[in-house]
Amino acid sequence: MSLKRTAITAMAGIFAASSAFAFDWGGLVSGSGKFYNNSDEIKSGDKNTIEAVADASLWCKIPFTASGENYVIAEGKYEFEYDHNMDGSSESDNTQLVDLDLFKIVLLKHLSTGDSAKEISLSLGRFSLSDASGKIFTQNADGILAKYNSTFLGLSLYGSYTGLLNGRTVSILSCNDEDSYEEDADKLYELAEGYAVGSLAATLNNIFMNQTVVIEGLGTFRTKGESFNRFYGTLAISGPAFLGTYYSLSSTIGYTTYGGDESVFEDTGIGNLSRGNITYFSPSQKISAGLSALYATDKFHGFTSNSAILAQIEEQVSGILMAGPFGSVKPTDELLISASADLACDSFRGDDKDSFGLAGLQFKGGLAYQPFSDLNFNFSAVQFVDFDDSENNKTTLELKATLTF
């Protein structure tokens, strides 16, 4: 069968399914304004920058069965970004991009129902996945996810490839080897750096006193240029503690190898990422409060860019210790107010910036207001105060409005 005939047959099947069952679609438009100062992202020494972003996306969902549990779903977006340096030390910058965020086929089969319910599912295409720690691999990729779920046991097998993604929209932490990947801001779509990703996870549900245990192995393998591979093993446990209090704990052992010049990437070997939190929820669910902590050794390297100190444009959760309280209150159904404070230590202290010590304090506040079901506003403010050098103090302010339809 020719490629053209195969494509026509596939499209005919999709339209036939959409005519037999409910076809659903929607979209959103959003705009945001962001101010940040003294950012590590600004290489020219600029201090104050305003970033304005406007984007629009459309999605559609086509079920294959009357239950709607077997379906294909897709989402694409367009984004425009304008960066303005308030100090005038560099020119303003405009960038645009398009992306296919999601294109996934989901197949689900119930093996049994009732108290001993069991099911298997298969997801194929482009979709997002997060690892058990929530800090290592959190992004979309092109691949397959097979899952088995029962009352007490969940198993998942995942494999994907990142090289067909838009490199403008993903944040893959690499080894700064410019021969393998170099971003071009003038392109709407640019292929990301290629990695093969695989994971295997087991979840033990309600193993004791409603506690959940997750064991996961994850590996990422560079497919072009010098080898740069990362392996992770995670153990996580979560569940209720006492009197409306819930907790989660996880610890990950990571191993990093690099096959090129060690001067490009020196910190290889074994590292650890551990994190935990305990949260109290009021009986009305209107108030929550808790404590959180995160620790990562110098040789721990994640895969997806993740900023621990949010007022900094930092890529790595590495060589850092953070801990502090957080809380939220929902005075009305439309309004949510949140706040947190963290004491931070990192590995960039001392005269040579190579020793571990007290770094500073980070404060964060947020307001989320949803006057209607399809309209919401979000405001966040982050301030980091460096105890050693006030020149490193950083502020980030962001306001975002989103309309869905």
Short mmCIF file of all heavy atoms in Angstrom, two decimals, residues 175-206:
data_model
loop_
_atom_site.label_atom_id
_atom_site.label_comp_id
_atom_site.label_asym_id
_atom_site.label_seq_id
_atom_site.Cartn_x
_atom_site.Cartn_y
_atom_site.Cartn_z
N CYS A 175 25.59 19.40 28.02
CA CYS A 175 26.94 19.59 28.57
C CYS A 175 27.63 20.80 27.94
O CYS A 175 28.85 20.90 27.96
CB CYS A 175 27.77 18.33 28.35
SG CYS A 175 27.83 17.85 26.61
N ASN A 176 26.83 21.70 27.34
CA ASN A 176 27.37 22.93 26.72
C ASN A 176 28.35 22.63 25.59
O ASN A 176 29.28 23.38 25.35
CB ASN A 176 28.06 23.81 27.78
CG ASN A 176 27.12 24.24 28.86
OD1 ASN A 176 25.99 24.61 28.59
ND2 ASN A 176 27.57 24.18 30.11
N ASP A 177 28.13 21.51 24.90
CA ASP A 177 28.95 21.15 23.74
C ASP A 177 28.28 21.76 22.51
O ASP A 177 27.32 21.23 21.98
CB ASP A 177 29.04 19.62 23.62
CG ASP A 177 29.95 19.19 22.50
OD1 ASP A 177 30.35 20.05 21.70
OD2 ASP A 177 30.27 17.99 22.42
N GLU A 178 28.80 22.87 22.04
CA GLU A 178 28.14 23.61 20.97
C GLU A 178 28.12 22.86 19.65
O GLU A 178 27.35 23.17 18.75
CB GLU A 178 28.81 24.98 20.79
CG GLU A 178 28.62 25.90 21.99
CD GLU A 178 29.19 27.28 21.74
OE1 GLU A 178 29.77 27.50 20.67
OE2 GLU A 178 29.06 28.14 22.64
N ASP A 179 28.98 21.86 19.48
CA ASP A 179 28.99 21.09 18.24
C ASP A 179 27.74 20.23 18.09
O ASP A 179 27.40 19.80 17.00
CB ASP A 179 30.23 20.20 18.18
CG ASP A 179 31.51 21.02 18.07
OD1 ASP A 179 31.44 22.14 17.54
OD2 ASP A 179 32.55 20.52 18.50
N SER A 180 27.07 19.93 19.20
CA SER A 180 25.93 19.02 19.14
C SER A 180 24.62 19.77 18.95
O SER A 180 23.69 19.27 18.34
CB SER A 180 25.86 18.17 20.41
OG SER A 180 25.61 19.00 21.53
N TYR A 181 24.51 21.00 19.48
CA TYR A 181 23.24 21.72 19.38
C TYR A 181 23.48 23.20 19.66
O TYR A 181 24.15 23.56 20.62
CB TYR A 181 22.22 21.17 20.38
CG TYR A 181 20.92 21.92 20.37
CD1 TYR A 181 20.03 21.76 19.32
CD2 TYR A 181 20.59 22.78 21.40
CE1 TYR A 181 18.83 22.45 19.30
CE2 TYR A 181 19.39 23.47 21.38
CZ TYR A 181 18.51 23.30 20.34
OH TYR A 181 17.33 23.98 20.31
N GLU A 182 22.95 24.04 18.80
CA GLU A 182 23.06 25.49 18.99
C GLU A 182 21.75 26.13 18.59
O GLU A 182 21.30 26.00 17.44
CB GLU A 182 24.20 26.06 18.16
CG GLU A 182 24.45 27.53 18.42
CD GLU A 182 25.69 28.04 17.71
OE1 GLU A 182 26.37 27.24 17.06
OE2 GLU A 182 25.97 29.25 17.80
N GLU A 183 21.11 26.82 19.51
CA GLU A 183 19.79 27.39 19.26
C GLU A 183 19.86 28.56 18.30
O GLU A 183 20.74 29.41 18.39
CB GLU A 183 19.17 27.82 20.59
CG GLU A 183 17.76 28.37 20.44
CD GLU A 183 17.13 28.69 21.78
OE1 GLU A 183 17.28 27.87 22.71
OE2 GLU A 183 16.49 29.74 21.89
N ASP A 184 18.90 28.63 17.40
CA ASP A 184 18.77 29.73 16.45
C ASP A 184 17.42 30.39 16.71
O ASP A 184 16.37 29.84 16.37
CB ASP A 184 18.86 29.21 15.02
CG ASP A 184 18.84 30.35 14.00
OD1 ASP A 184 18.58 31.51 14.39
OD2 ASP A 184 19.09 30.09 12.81
N ALA A 185 17.44 31.58 17.32
CA ALA A 185 16.21 32.26 17.72
C ALA A 185 15.38 32.73 16.54
O ALA A 185 14.22 33.11 16.70
CB ALA A 185 16.54 33.45 18.62
N ASP A 186 15.95 32.73 15.32
CA ASP A 186 15.21 33.19 14.15
C ASP A 186 14.31 32.11 13.56
O ASP A 186 13.49 32.40 12.68
CB ASP A 186 16.19 33.67 13.07
CG ASP A 186 16.95 34.92 13.50
OD1 ASP A 186 16.38 35.71 14.27
OD2 ASP A 186 18.11 35.08 13.09
N LYS A 187 14.44 30.89 14.01
CA LYS A 187 13.64 29.80 13.47
C LYS A 187 12.39 29.59 14.31
O LYS A 187 12.43 29.64 15.53
CB LYS A 187 14.46 28.51 13.43
CG LYS A 187 15.63 28.54 12.46
CD LYS A 187 16.34 27.19 12.45
CE LYS A 187 17.49 27.20 11.46
NZ LYS A 187 18.21 25.89 11.44
N LEU A 188 11.26 29.33 13.62
CA LEU A 188 10.02 29.05 14.33
C LEU A 188 10.05 27.66 14.97
O LEU A 188 9.47 27.43 16.02
CB LEU A 188 8.82 29.13 13.38
CG LEU A 188 8.47 30.51 12.83
CD1 LEU A 188 7.33 30.41 11.84
CD2 LEU A 188 8.09 31.46 13.97
N TYR A 189 10.71 26.74 14.29
CA TYR A 189 10.80 25.36 14.79
C TYR A 189 12.20 24.85 14.51
O TYR A 189 12.67 24.88 13.38
CB TYR A 189 9.76 24.48 14.08
CG TYR A 189 9.49 23.17 14.80
CD1 TYR A 189 8.31 23.00 15.51
CD2 TYR A 189 10.39 22.11 14.75
CE1 TYR A 189 8.03 21.79 16.16
CE2 TYR A 189 10.13 20.91 15.40
CZ TYR A 189 8.95 20.75 16.10
OH TYR A 189 8.69 19.57 16.75
N GLU A 190 12.86 24.40 15.55
CA GLU A 190 14.22 23.88 15.42
C GLU A 190 14.33 22.58 16.20
O GLU A 190 13.92 22.51 17.37
CB GLU A 190 15.22 24.90 15.97
CG GLU A 190 16.66 24.44 15.82
CD GLU A 190 17.62 25.49 16.36
OE1 GLU A 190 17.17 26.38 17.11
OE2 GLU A 190 18.81 25.40 16.04
N LEU A 191 14.84 21.56 15.57
CA LEU A 191 14.91 20.25 16.21
C LEU A 191 15.78 20.30 17.46
O LEU A 191 16.87 20.86 17.46
CB LEU A 191 15.46 19.21 15.23
CG LEU A 191 14.57 18.90 14.02
CD1 LEU A 191 15.24 17.85 13.15
CD2 LEU A 191 13.19 18.44 14.47
N ALA A 192 15.28 19.70 18.52
CA ALA A 192 15.99 19.67 19.79
C ALA A 192 17.12 18.64 19.74
O ALA A 192 17.21 17.82 18.82
CB ALA A 192 15.01 19.33 20.92
N GLU A 193 17.96 18.68 20.76
CA GLU A 193 19.03 17.70 20.87
C GLU A 193 18.43 16.31 21.11
O GLU A 193 17.46 16.16 21.86
CB GLU A 193 19.96 18.07 22.02
CG GLU A 193 21.20 17.23 22.08
CD GLU A 193 22.21 17.75 23.10
OE1 GLU A 193 21.91 18.76 23.75
OE2 GLU A 193 23.26 17.13 23.25
N GLY A 194 19.00 15.33 20.45
CA GLY A 194 18.43 14.00 20.49
C GLY A 194 18.89 13.15 21.67
O GLY A 194 20.08 12.92 21.85
N TYR A 195 17.92 12.70 22.46
CA TYR A 195 18.18 11.76 23.55
C TYR A 195 17.14 10.65 23.49
O TYR A 195 15.96 10.90 23.25
CB TYR A 195 18.08 12.43 24.93
CG TYR A 195 19.29 13.24 25.31
CD1 TYR A 195 19.41 14.56 24.92
CD2 TYR A 195 20.31 12.67 26.08
CE1 TYR A 195 20.51 15.33 25.29
CE2 TYR A 195 21.42 13.42 26.45
CZ TYR A 195 21.51 14.74 26.04
OH TYR A 195 22.61 15.47 26.40
N ALA A 196 17.59 9.43 23.71
CA ALA A 196 16.67 8.32 23.94
C ALA A 196 16.43 8.22 25.45
O ALA A 196 17.38 8.27 26.24
CB ALA A 196 17.26 7.02 23.41
N VAL A 197 15.17 8.11 25.83
CA VAL A 197 14.79 8.10 27.25
C VAL A 197 13.99 6.84 27.53
O VAL A 197 13.11 6.46 26.75
CB VAL A 197 13.95 9.34 27.60
CG1 VAL A 197 13.60 9.35 29.08
CG2 VAL A 197 14.68 10.62 27.23
N GLY A 198 14.30 6.18 28.63
CA GLY A 198 13.55 5.00 29.02
C GLY A 198 13.35 4.95 30.52
O GLY A 198 14.22 5.38 31.28
N SER A 199 12.20 4.43 30.96
CA SER A 199 11.96 4.30 32.40
C SER A 199 11.08 3.09 32.68
O SER A 199 10.28 2.67 31.83
CB SER A 199 11.32 5.56 32.98
OG SER A 199 9.96 5.65 32.62
N LEU A 200 11.22 2.56 33.87
CA LEU A 200 10.41 1.46 34.37
C LEU A 200 10.05 1.80 35.82
O LEU A 200 10.93 2.13 36.62
CB LEU A 200 11.18 0.15 34.31
CG LEU A 200 10.47 -1.10 34.87
CD1 LEU A 200 9.23 -1.41 34.04
CD2 LEU A 200 11.43 -2.29 34.88
N ALA A 201 8.76 1.75 36.15
CA ALA A 201 8.31 2.15 37.48
C ALA A 201 7.28 1.18 38.02
O ALA A 201 6.47 0.63 37.26
CB ALA A 201 7.74 3.57 37.46
N ALA A 202 7.32 0.99 39.32
CA ALA A 202 6.31 0.18 40.03
C ALA A 202 5.74 1.01 41.16
O ALA A 202 6.49 1.64 41.92
CB ALA A 202 6.94 -1.10 40.57
N THR A 203 4.41 1.02 41.28
CA THR A 203 3.72 1.75 42.33
C THR A 203 2.94 0.76 43.20
O THR A 203 2.14 -0.02 42.68
CB THR A 203 2.75 2.79 41.74
OG1 THR A 203 3.47 3.69 40.90
CG2 THR A 203 2.06 3.57 42.85
N LEU A 204 3.19 0.82 44.50
CA LEU A 204 2.48 -0.03 45.46
C LEU A 204 1.45 0.84 46.17
O LEU A 204 1.80 1.71 46.97
CB LEU A 204 3.46 -0.64 46.45
CG LEU A 204 4.62 -1.44 45.84
CD1 LEU A 204 5.57 -1.92 46.93
CD2 LEU A 204 4.10 -2.62 45.02
N ASN A 205 0.19 0.66 45.83
CA ASN A 205 -0.89 1.49 46.38
C ASN A 205 -1.41 0.90 47.69
O ASN A 205 -1.61 -0.32 47.80
CB ASN A 205 -2.04 1.57 45.38
CG ASN A 205 -1.62 2.17 44.06
OD1 ASN A 205 -1.03 3.25 44.02
ND2 ASN A 205 -1.90 1.48 42.97
N ASN A 206 -1.64 1.78 48.65
CA ASN A 206 -2.21 1.36 49.93
C ASN A 206 -1.47 0.18 50.53
O ASN A 206 -2.08 -0.77 51.04
CB ASN A 206 -3.70 1.00 49.76
CG ASN A 206 -4.50 2.15 49.18
OD1 ASN A 206 -4.33 3.29 49.58
ND2 ASN A 206 -5.36 1.85 48.23
#
